Amino acid sequence: MAKAAAAIEGSAEGAANSSEQSENLIGIDEVQRSLNRSRASVYRYTNTDPRNLNPPFNPRKLNPEYRSDQKEPLMFHPNEVARFARDVLRIKEVTVEVLNSPSTATQQLLGSILDELRSIRELLDASNISPTTLDSRRDQHEQERPAA
């Protein structure tokens, strides 16, 4: 039978928390390609209501993720697309594929900050200074400074 693949762009580190999961959502175009359906039919499958921004879950429809504004684009979790393809469209083989997105300037900056923090951690571990010694040094430093 047909094979559906929902391709998503993920962060290089993967989706460990909810803020990263929001980056792993897919838009209507990716859903259209993965289900091999027309854009109009994808909209017909989608659980939307003009009077209710976030209608309750409907197992016979493709349920988008939570939206805070009517103007926000419809976004779907890849597992929801796979569930819909398997349970409603009766597509036997469903593959959800996670692709790493190209590195952005923000990701590169965060990576360099992480590398810097790791090197600081290694230096601190190598110096064998206990936290009590650091506390006493801070107290000593504060006593040496004159009051303003």
Side-chain angles (χ1 to χ4, degrees):
M1 273 236 141
K3 190 183 236 189
I8 62 171
E9 291 184 3
S11 65
E13 297 293 324
N17 61 36
S18 60
S19 65
E20 288 179 356
Q21 286 178 353
S22 66
E23 295 173 7
N24 292 335
L25 300 178
I26 59 177
I28 202 84
D29 293 331
E30 291 89 357
V31 173
Q32 176 187 348
R33 282 192 294 273
S34 66
L35 297 178
N36 197 22
R37 299 290 195 271
S38 70
R39 189 177 188 89
S41 65
V42 171
Y43 277 113
R44 277 194 306 273
Y45 298 146
T46 304
N47 184 16
T48 57
D49 183 356
R51 296 162 300 206
N52 186 356
L53 184 60
N54 295 298
F57 179 81
N58 183 342
R60 301 294 304 156
K61 295 276 194 171
L62 179 60
N63 296 285
E65 290 296 306
Y66 176 81
R67 295 186 301 163
S68 57
D69 185 15
Q70 192 75 28
K71 293 181 182 178
E72 285 182 22
L74 291 172
M75 299 299 287
F76 302 89
H77 194 279
N79 291 341
E80 172 61 13
V81 176
R83 180 206 63 85
F84 180 77
R86 185 182 59 247
D87 297 348
V88 179
L89 297 179
R90 305 280 189 232
I91 298 174
K92 294 205 185 282
E93 290 185 44
V94 179
T95 305
V96 178
E97 184 179 344
V98 178
L99 303 174
N100 289 335
S101 63
S103 183
T104 63
T106 303
Q107 288 173 330
Q108 291 172 352
L109 178 63
L110 289 173
S112 63
I113 291 171
L114 182 60
D115 291 339
E116 184 75 22
L117 288 172
R118 284 181 180 149
S119 65
I120 291 170
R121 169 56 102 195
E122 289 173 5
L123 287 172
L124 287 173
D125 289 343
S127 68
N128 293 327
I129 298 175
S130 65
T132 56
T133 307
L134 289 175
D135 288 338
S136 64
R137 282 188 170 177
R138 185 177 53 229
D139 293 340
Q140 195 177 47
H141 179 70
E142 287 174 356
Q143 290 173 359
E144 292 174 356
R145 292 188 348 201

